[in-house]
Amino acid sequence: MNALLLTVTLPLAGGLLLAVVRSLRVAGWLNLAFCLAGLITSLVLAGQVLHHGELVGYSFHVDAFNVYLVVLTTFVGFTTAIFSRPYMAHVCQEGWVSERRMRLYHAMFQGFLFTMLLALTTDNLGVLWVSVEGATLATVLLVSLYRTPEAVEAAWKYFILCGVGIALALFGTVLVYFAAQHALADPRQGLSWMALYAESAHLHPAVMAIAFVFLLVGYGTKVGLVPLHNWLPDAHSEGPTPMSAVLSGLLLNVALYAVVRFKMLVDGALANTENAAVAGHLMMGFGLISFLVASLFLHRQRDIKRMFSYSSIEHMGMMTFAFGIGGPLATFAGLLHMLVHSLTKSAIFVTVGHVSHIAGTQVIEHIRGMIRTQPAVGWGLLLGVAAIAGFPPFGVFTSEFLLLSATMDSWPWLTSLLLFGLVVAFAGLFRYLHPMVYGKAPEGQQAVTANMLPVMLHLLLVLALGIAIPAFLSHWLDQATWLIAGSHLL
Amino acid sequence: MNLVQLSLLEQAVFVLAALILFLSFTLLAQSRLVSGIHVFAWQGAVLAGATALVAASGAHHLFISAGLTLLLKALLIPWMLHRQVRKLELERHVETLPHAALVLMGGAALVIFSYWVVVPIERLELLATRNIISLSLAVVLLGLLIMVTRRQAVTQVIGFMSMENGLFLAAVAATHGMPLVVELGVAFDVLVAAVLFGVFFLHISESIDSLDTDRLNRLAVPEDEP
């Protein structure tokens, strides 16, 4: 329990402290230290959950499903902090950001981690909503950190679209609470996920179905599901690179986590009605459309960060689709894909930060010859993209393969659409990647000091997950699969 | 449902809820910025009144959120918006609503749509609340419509905040209020959002020299254009 409380409160304390630390050097290191401490406590927490099963108390609820996302969040937060310290110091030296705004940056970085961890661990669906909205508020000023007209526009779009989306999610939450009023013995427990889950068979099916539509649209906006994805490429491309890494690697996951939690409730409520799988079908539809549209959009990008944010939409679509299919195999694939996508995508964004630093631009046409100028960065980009495109030894291949098999099992004719999307996305990524990595470097392009440790760490983990998933991890994912899908895979 | 069977307090809540919807329509058609802010403040006040009536009919803990709503939605946020508008010298700003008749008919269609969405709930024995749910859904959707049809950043924020009013109405009248932690959290989020919106008005007017969000279009350039 202590580990849990520490994991959640450390970033809060860090955020408050960093808001008053004036020295930039100290702030960078402090940020890193808080992230490391958070990582350690979350590992302890994971160990406890692994040994004793779920942890409940103080209206927190940690089980196999969210504890692995907690560890993922603190881990990606930690490696991004390693990257962010020298990168943001450089940005500040270049004069793009004033020192006061750097304070805002560090405080909000921790604040964002706090909202993510709170959203993951809380048992209260209202608090879940508050913290997901809090994540928007924490990051919106970071998207506009550079104060260019483009950045302000991106932030405004992000604010309005996510604000509207999340408002619809609150309406869904109110409806769930409304349904709970008539099903639960103690109506005041009506927002506790565990109490609702225990009684989910008694929740009114029609109310829950309507609520789920609102929740899916609401949290789906944050997941980046088409047609509500417009904010995502803008926010990712205009914000500072460490922010893109955590937005893509963490925020999207947490929003999807919320959708899956609600799906579990709705499935329980609809189990005995004629359209029992309506929640799953909705998720499959939205997921598949997002996947296909985003993979087509990959071909029409000029900005390297926008390109990779469309790739994020594509992968989130795939995960939503996987959870929509339901069943142990697809759920396992979805969980694994959440893990490997976060690791790979944040590694890519970190590399892209170095790449745009070397080239001095984010425009793909002007990024050339990375492997000549700085082999470490060039290879990082190449391997990262190979991993995200689903090349065999990497973990993304494993999860995509599992998803394809699951689709083959239950919806055979959708497999062709999935394969089509995968090929299109693959082509889209590689047609731009090749000249960026191997092209002729422009005169005078110089290597920069780049810390590739986070990237290597992430890619090695993804590689390891692709070759052999360790027994404890597969057991862990299997536990989560059991929670969501109702039966074990392994 | 027979409205006469309800107690007077409940009937009064219905009247106030309908008034909130009416104020949403007023917002939708309002072309003066300052008057829009005033209408929004009145909507907040009526919402606080409805909350207080629900509280009086048994759910006493709702008095706190009634006070909170009155403070936040009827006084603080309108005051903040008003100050921003004065600072940016937009007091006399008039925005003509394009296709006003069409937009208002669209609003009416949204109300009908909200009633249609709630039809499945209707079959429940919880009749008293289904009207409230459809009314508040209509307020939410009208807020959305305001945001879509207006170009002025301040009006968009008013639309956003009136959406929140609709949500709050649903929470209060249909479920007798969310748990206090959640309500405080939501109020906090709304407050922070209001402050951030103020910051953004400044940034936007600095970067494009106006608050017309149609001119925020740098990112919309076709992406394969040189």
Side-chain angles (χ1 to χ4, degrees), chain A residues 112-439:
Chain A
F112 171 71
L113 286 181
F114 167 68
T115 55
M116 291 288 92
L117 291 168
L118 185 63
L120 285 172
T121 51
T122 184
D123 178 47
N124 187 315
L125 297 175
V127 176
L128 171 68
W129 182 87
V130 170
S131 40
V132 174
E133 166 80 355
T136 315
L137 300 175
T139 45
V140 71
L141 281 181
L142 296 185
V143 171
S144 69
L145 196 73
Y146 295 153
R147 296 291 152 81
T148 56
E150 287 87 356
V152 171
E153 179 187 341
W156 179 256
K157 217 165 165 184
Y158 173 46
F159 201 178
I160 291 288
L161 257 174
C162 282
V164 168
I166 210 77
L168 294 177
L170 182 59
F171 195 77
T173 312
V174 170
L175 284 180
V176 170
Y177 188 56
F178 172 66
Q181 297 301 303
H182 307 275
L184 263 54
D186 179 8
R188 277 171 302 171
Q189 291 288 313
L191 281 176
S192 155
W193 184 85
M194 285 169 65
L196 284 168
Y197 189 62
E199 294 292 325
S200 61
H202 300 119
L203 295 170
H204 191 269
V207 180
M208 290 303 281
I210 296 174
F212 187 73
V213 174
F214 282 98
L215 290 161
L216 181 62
V217 172
Y219 286 117
T221 311
K222 285 232 118 149
V223 179
L225 295 181
V226 173
L228 298 154
H229 65 289
N230 272 326
W231 64 273
L232 197 145
D234 295 342
H236 282 54
S237 62
E238 298 305 324
T241 306
M243 232 39 239
S244 324
V246 287
L247 280 181
S248 226
L250 304 179
L251 178 70
L252 309 184
N253 268 357
V254 171
L256 184 60
Y257 161 83
V259 174
V260 174
R261 280 278 186 210
F262 278 109
K263 176 176 183 273
M264 291 161 79
L265 296 180
V266 177
D267 279 349
L270 293 178
N272 297 321
T273 59
E274 55 213 55
N275 39 8
V278 69
H281 290 167
L282 276 172
M283 284 176 77
M284 280 171 66
F286 268 107
L288 199 60
I289 290 172
S290 311
F291 171 67
L292 291 172
V293 169
S295 56
L296 288 169
F297 265 107
L298 273 175
H299 286 262
R300 290 174 58 84
Q301 300 307 318
R302 296 181 61 231
D303 182 308
I304 184 167
K305 274 162 103 181
R306 285 183 83 87
M307 180 171 90
F308 286 117
S309 32
Y310 272 105
S311 153
S312 288
I313 300 176
E314 176 217 332
H315 284 274
M316 291 322 286
M318 215 187 299
M319 286 172 226
T320 313
F321 178 75
F323 286 116
I325 293 180
L329 186 60
T331 307
F332 191 91
L335 290 169
L336 184 63
H337 201 77
M338 262 172 142
L339 184 63
V340 287
H341 171 255
S342 283
L343 291 173
T344 321
K345 195 46 73 60
S346 43
I348 288 180
F349 271 113
V350 168
T351 320
V352 165
H354 292 311
V355 166
S356 58
H357 184 185
I358 294 171
T361 173
Q362 282 175 210
V363 181
I364 292 175
E365 271 174 52
H366 301 300
I367 301 175
R368 290 291 178 262
M370 279 305 135
I371 218 157
R372 288 273 164 73
T373 315
Q374 192 160 4
V377 174
W379 277 107
L381 190 62
L382 185 66
L383 290 177
V385 175
I388 206 73
F391 261 104
F394 290 103
V396 181
F397 172 77
T398 320
S399 56
E400 284 178 358
F401 187 78
L402 287 175
L403 175 58
L404 281 173
S405 337
T407 318
M408 201 57 139
D409 262 357
S410 43
W411 302 82
W413 50 279
L414 285 182
T415 322
S416 55
L417 279 179
L418 271 187
L419 278 172
F420 169 74
L422 283 174
V423 171
V424 171
F426 173 81
L429 285 170
F430 270 80
R431 75 187 263 195
Y432 293 118
L433 178 77
H434 191 260
M436 281 197 290
V437 174
Y438 290 112

Side-chain angles (χ1 to χ4, degrees), chain A residues 16-191:
Chain A
L16 293 175
L17 182 63
L18 283 165
V20 294
V21 171
R22 282 177 183 280
S23 157
L24 187 59
R25 265 177 57 90
V26 177
W29 284 109
L30 261 182
N31 190 28
L32 188 56
F34 271 106
C35 288
L36 179 63
L39 176 61
I40 293 168
T41 51
S42 72
L43 284 174
V44 174
L45 172 67
Q48 285 173 359
V49 174
L50 207 57
H51 281 125
H52 308 295
E54 58 179 1
L55 264 176
V56 182
Y58 303 109
S59 53
F60 286 111
H61 168 233
V62 185
D63 56 22
F65 179 26
N66 52 15
V67 80
Y68 102 95
L69 289 171
V70 168
V71 175
L72 184 65
T73 302
T74 51
F75 179 73
V76 174
F78 170 62
T79 48
T80 311
I82 297 181
F83 161 69
S84 125
R85 194 187 56 79
Y87 182 83
M88 292 312 283
H90 164 78
V91 165
C92 192
Q93 270 170 9
E94 297 276 303
W96 294 345
V97 181
S98 69
E99 295 217 353
R100 256 192 73 201
R101 259 186 255 155
M102 283 302 295
R103 244 159 76 194
L104 174 82
Y105 167 80
H106 280 124
M108 285 303 151
F109 187 89
Q110 291 288 334
F112 171 71
L113 286 181
F114 167 68
T115 55
M116 291 288 92
L117 291 168
L118 185 63
L120 285 172
T121 51
T122 184
D123 178 47
N124 187 315
L125 297 175
V127 176
L128 171 68
W129 182 87
V130 170
S131 40
V132 174
E133 166 80 355
T136 315
L137 300 175
T139 45
V140 71
L141 281 181
L142 296 185
V143 171
S144 69
L145 196 73
Y146 295 153
R147 296 291 152 81
T148 56
E150 287 87 356
V152 171
E153 179 187 341
W156 179 256
K157 217 165 165 184
Y158 173 46
F159 201 178
I160 291 288
L161 257 174
C162 282
V164 168
I166 210 77
L168 294 177
L170 182 59
F171 195 77
T173 312
V174 170
L175 284 180
V176 170
Y177 188 56
F178 172 66
Q181 297 301 303
H182 307 275
L184 263 54
D186 179 8
R188 277 171 302 171
Q189 291 288 313
L191 281 176

